Amino acid sequence: MPRCFGRLVLGLVLAVAALNVPAAVTAPPAEAACRPTLKSLTFARSTVAGGSSTTATVRLSCRTPRRTTVRLWASTGIRVPAYVSVARGRSTVQVTVRTSPTTVRSSGRVKATYRGVERRATLVRAVTPCYPTPVPTAVALPAYVHAGQTASGTVTMDCVAKTSLAVSLASSSSWVTVPGTVTIAAGRRTASFKAVTKGPTTGSLPAFNATVRATRNRKSATRVMQVRPEIRSFRQGDRFTVNEPVLTPEGTEGWVHGTLRITLDHPAPPGGLDVKGSFLPEGETVAEVAIGFDSYPPDSRVTDHLVITDSAGNVLIHEEFTYTVHRAP
């Protein structure tokens, strides 16, 4: 009987001891219970210049209980090791991703594989600066010039030239002349040039756009410059516009009168102009001429003669023109 009682007491003591053992002793480590899967593949930078590198991170779903090997693959132009290992007790590992130089912007992929699970990420390779030699990246010119003026331009390369380089220049308009080539001196990224514009010997050109292109190694940079009508005095061959005057009755005999506004496309020269008997001072473009008729034109149209002379008596315009008139309300 005492022996049975002793066994009973020993059993109770052992049971109580088992209940008071710390959880840290009885529970297995978290990584021991983990069965990791491949969670993600990410880049520190998703776009890099060709020839440079970035970092990729391979991430597992949990801390691995043992060293885990993940297989890697990359498309053309991108280089990664064939395998990368996640250390015991870790869930991530980083790997260096290298790229090859490129003359065109392109994209490729890196793929990670573990236990049949794949994760992919896209990496963009931007054009490699100075590969294989410097090429134009910009042409600077004023937004606009007037015909007859000379504009200063600049060609900028994507990097400093190690030796002197010739860059071809071309203009889309025969009214804008640029040199055939410009030289980038060794140790420089830029070179200056002149764009010479011209206007017709008679009359004037409307505003137009001209494109100047710089080219080297089949790479081009362009700049659009607007050429506006030249700034000069009115001369023979230039043109004019007129308004549509309102005619107001005058007196009781049917007379009507109004003001004809004649606008020249260039300002009056020194000494002014005589525009249909009205003096137009130097630098002005609008002449106002009084007109009158013994009755309102039945078809609201008037045919008249315009004579414009300069201060020396030279006739610049002598022609017939027609304009529309309106009744006063």
Side-chain angles (χ1 to χ4, degrees), residues 7-172:
R7 289 178 178 176
L8 179 60
V9 172
L10 179 60
L12 291 173
V13 170
L14 293 175
V16 171
L19 290 175
N20 286 277
V21 173
V25 176
T26 59
E31 54 266 26
C34 170
R35 293 181 58 83
T37 58
L38 186 58
K39 185 177 182 180
S40 64
L41 171 65
T42 57
F43 292 121
R45 292 182 298 158
S46 59
T47 300
V48 296
S52 61
S53 61
T54 185
T55 300
T57 300
V58 177
R59 187 177 300 276
L60 302 178
S61 59
C62 58
R63 297 178 182 274
T64 178
R66 63 184 61 86
R67 181 183 177 89
T68 300
T69 300
V70 178
R71 185 178 179 182
L72 298 178
W73 172 90
S75 55
T76 303
I78 303 174
R79 301 189 304 279
V80 294
Y83 298 92
V84 65
S85 296
V86 182
R88 175 183 175 183
R90 302 295 299 274
S91 61
T92 62
V93 65
Q94 292 186 330
V95 59
T96 299
V97 180
R98 294 178 171 83
T99 64
S100 301
T102 178
T103 58
V104 295
R105 186 180 178 89
S106 61
S107 61
R109 292 184 301 175
V110 174
K111 180 174 66 177
T113 305
Y114 176 67
R115 287 186 174 177
V117 177
E118 290 185 357
R119 293 291 182 262
R120 301 181 182 186
T122 299
L123 182 64
V124 176
R125 289 188 301 152
V127 175
T128 306
C130 305
Y131 178 78
T133 62
V135 294
T137 55
V139 176
L141 281 167
Y144 70 90
V145 294
H146 291 274
Q149 295 179 333
T150 297
S152 296
T154 303
V155 175
T156 301
M157 310 298 282
D158 60 350
C159 65
V160 173
K162 295 181 180 180
T163 60
S164 295
L165 303 175
V167 178
S168 300
L169 292 180
S171 168
S172 64

